Amino acid sequence: RERRSPVPQTVLVTGGAGFIGSHTCVELLRSGHEVVVLDDHSNSSPEALERVAKIAGRPIAAAHTADVRDRRALDAVFASHPIDAVIHFAAKKAVGESVRIPLTYYDINVGGTTALVSAMHDHGVHRLVFSSSCSVYGDTTIVPLTEESPVAPTNPYATTKLTCERILADLCRHVPALRVLALRYFNPVGAHSSGLLGEDPHGVPNNIMPFLTQVAVGRREELSVFGDDFPTPDGTGIRDYVHVVDVAEGHREALDHLDDEPGMRVFNLGTGHGASVLDLVQTFEEVSGQPIPYRVTERRPGDVAELVADPARVAAAWGWTARRDLAAMCRDAWNFQQHNPYGYAP
Ligand code: NAD
Ligand code: WQD
């Protein structure tokens, strides 16, 4: 699905060295866009951007090491590049941590977004793609979830994402030139098929796929399966895992559709297919040939039985659908972990 964009743009990617951001930078470069990254590397390594250039065959235009809340740094970035659009990934994303330090989450995720859109406004930039999350739907029993399903965040992280969506919707009502796409990702996993880019969380992984690959590579003893008494066929939680490269391609397509309609639009990015924790473990074992020792433990507080996207809206609007299956997600995540047992650390 690689192709040149009809309109090459200069794109500011905040959080561009992170997991989804780095894969998106590859897609943008390969489509002919110029990429400017702003990242404070609080949860990423500059090495990821070197690898982006290696895969894409050309470098990004500039990398700014700065905090997205820093208005002076933002002003300098907008003053030195002719930015056509912004993709805003920079945020903190650990649900459990957000319960412990909610103010930090509001400050970075909400304050970062208001600083960014205020700088955009001052520099005449009106096109934004915003990273939202399926966590805005909260503790729901609706399967699959459409963009019209009720939202009910159950933790500070999810509240920051919904708050940002609402701030952006309010702004769009007030500033007619503004075009915003809020993309609600379900569970992005996997890695670039080159084995050069992948997920490298600092500390103990919160999410299942990096935990699984660290067990497989011998860094951790066993996987804890958080509960097997959910009302699902095998009792473990069901999620809509979506390949990070499909998500990255979704951002490239978003850029080509920012001007379809004025104002703010919301899209789910998911596959529409659910997999349980045990489905994931089994698929991972099959594609990697590695046995995954696991133990069933207590449910993790706040976890719900099932979260699956209805991805029909984005399919109808842009023709985007996730093409890579669970086996590809496991194969690519394992390939990255095998080639980079300690992630981007030298
Ligand atoms: P990530 O942590 O790998 O990437 C975020 C990047 O932002 C990192 O490079 C980090 O260093 C940077 N960053 C953090 N705070 C910053 C700040 N104050 N100033 C500048 N840079 C900062 O996470 P990711 O998985 O790539 O997620 C990207 C976005 O997608 C986030 O907004 C996240 O909330 C959202 N999201 C992620 C998932 C998921 O499961 N990975 C699901 C839904 C939504
Ligand atoms: C997946 C499944 C766990 C770890 C989170 C955020 C959400 C979004 C995506 C950002 C669940 C089970 C997990 C483990 C396990 N991110 N699990 N053992 O919680 O669905 O979603 O990431 O926006 O907002 O909440 O993802 O990968 O943590 O869990 O059994 O060691 O795996 O119970 O069923 P989650 P996850």
Side-chain angles (χ1 to χ4, degrees):
R1 216 162 35 175
E2 186 174 343
R3 56 169 174 72
R4 289 191 77 77
S5 174
V7 190
Q9 303 174 37
T10 299
V11 186
L12 171 61
V13 183
T14 74
F19 174 47
I20 307 172
S22 58
H23 289 83
T24 299
C25 288
V26 168
E27 293 307 317
L28 300 184
L29 287 171
R30 285 163 67 148
S31 310
H33 298 300
E34 294 301 327
V35 176
V36 175
V37 166
L38 180 143
D39 198 305
D40 69 356
H41 300 302
S42 53
N43 197 38
S44 60
S45 163
E47 168 66 15
L49 296 174
E50 304 293 329
R51 297 187 180 194
V52 164
K54 201 165 171 184
I55 298 169
R58 68 188 186 98
I60 61 171
H64 297 268
T65 303
D67 191 310
V68 69
R69 293 167 294 175
D70 181 344
R71 260 312 296 268
R72 278 203 194 159
L74 287 171
D75 284 337
V77 170
F78 283 106
S80 47
H81 308 278
I83 304 294
D84 297 303
V86 179
I87 305 182
H88 179 36
F89 291 110
K92 289 184 76 66
K93 62 162 182 178
V95 170
E97 184 185 54
S98 81
V99 176
R100 292 194 298 278
I101 49 167
L103 255 190
T104 305
Y105 272 68
Y106 284 105
D107 191 13
I108 295 175
N109 293 9
V110 180
T113 300
T114 55
L116 177 68
V117 290
S118 142
M120 287 174 62
H121 187 76
D122 287 357
H123 294 267
V125 178
H126 296 298
R127 303 164 74 244
L128 174 69
V129 180
F130 173 71
S131 291
S132 190
S133 165
C134 65
S135 61
V136 299
Y137 296 114
D139 190 355
T140 175
T141 53
I142 300 169
V143 183
L145 288 152
T146 75
E147 293 81 353
E148 302 304 322
S149 299
V151 286
T154 56
N155 56 69
Y157 166 74
T159 306
T160 67
K161 290 292 170 183
L162 186 60
T163 303
C164 289
E165 283 193 11
R166 290 188 169 152
I167 290 170
L168 294 169
D170 284 345
L171 273 174
C172 283
R173 279 187 277 273
H174 185 66
V175 183
L178 204 55
R179 269 106 181 96
V180 179
L181 297 174
L183 307 183
R184 293 177 178 164
Y185 323 139
F186 276 65
N187 286 56
V189 297
H192 195 266
S193 59
S194 62
L196 287 169
L197 279 185
E199 193 166 9
D200 179 26
H202 291 179
V204 181
N206 296 295
N207 298 115
I208 190 162
M209 186 65 99
F211 203 101
L212 242 172
T213 58
Q214 290 189 11
V215 171
V217 85
R219 280 174 64 180
R220 304 193 185 274
E221 256 175 32
E222 62 180 13
L223 174 75
S224 299
V225 173
F226 297 148
D228 66 353
D229 56 352
F230 287 101
T232 62
D234 67 19
T236 66
I238 291 178
R239 295 291 182 273
D240 187 337
Y241 298 99
V242 54
H243 199 295
V244 65
V245 176
D246 281 318
V247 173
E249 289 178 350
H251 287 77
R252 186 196 62 201
E253 293 183 24
L255 284 181
D256 295 335
H257 290 280
L258 263 170
D259 303 316
D260 288 357
E261 281 173 45
M264 159 121 171
R265 281 165 303 148
V266 177
F267 292 102
N268 287 337
L269 290 190
T271 65
H273 303 291
S276 73
V277 174
L278 296 183
D279 292 334
L280 183 63
V281 170
Q282 193 190 337
T283 305
F284 190 90
E285 287 181 327
E286 281 165 13
V287 305
S288 69
Q290 296 292 113
I292 300 296
Y294 70 84
R295 184 205 315 248
V296 177
T297 63
E298 296 280 278
R299 288 187 187 189
R300 183 172 60 180
D303 273 355
V304 303
E306 188 166 0
L307 280 177
V308 177
D310 178 342
R313 180 184 281 183
V314 67
W318 319 336
W320 179 91
T321 52
R323 293 183 308 156
R324 297 164 179 86
D325 65 7
L326 196 64
M329 300 178 215
C330 291
R331 193 185 318 113
D332 291 335
W334 174 230
N335 184 43
F336 175 72
Q337 189 76 73
Q338 272 183 298
H339 286 94
N340 308 268
Y342 288 90
Y344 297 117

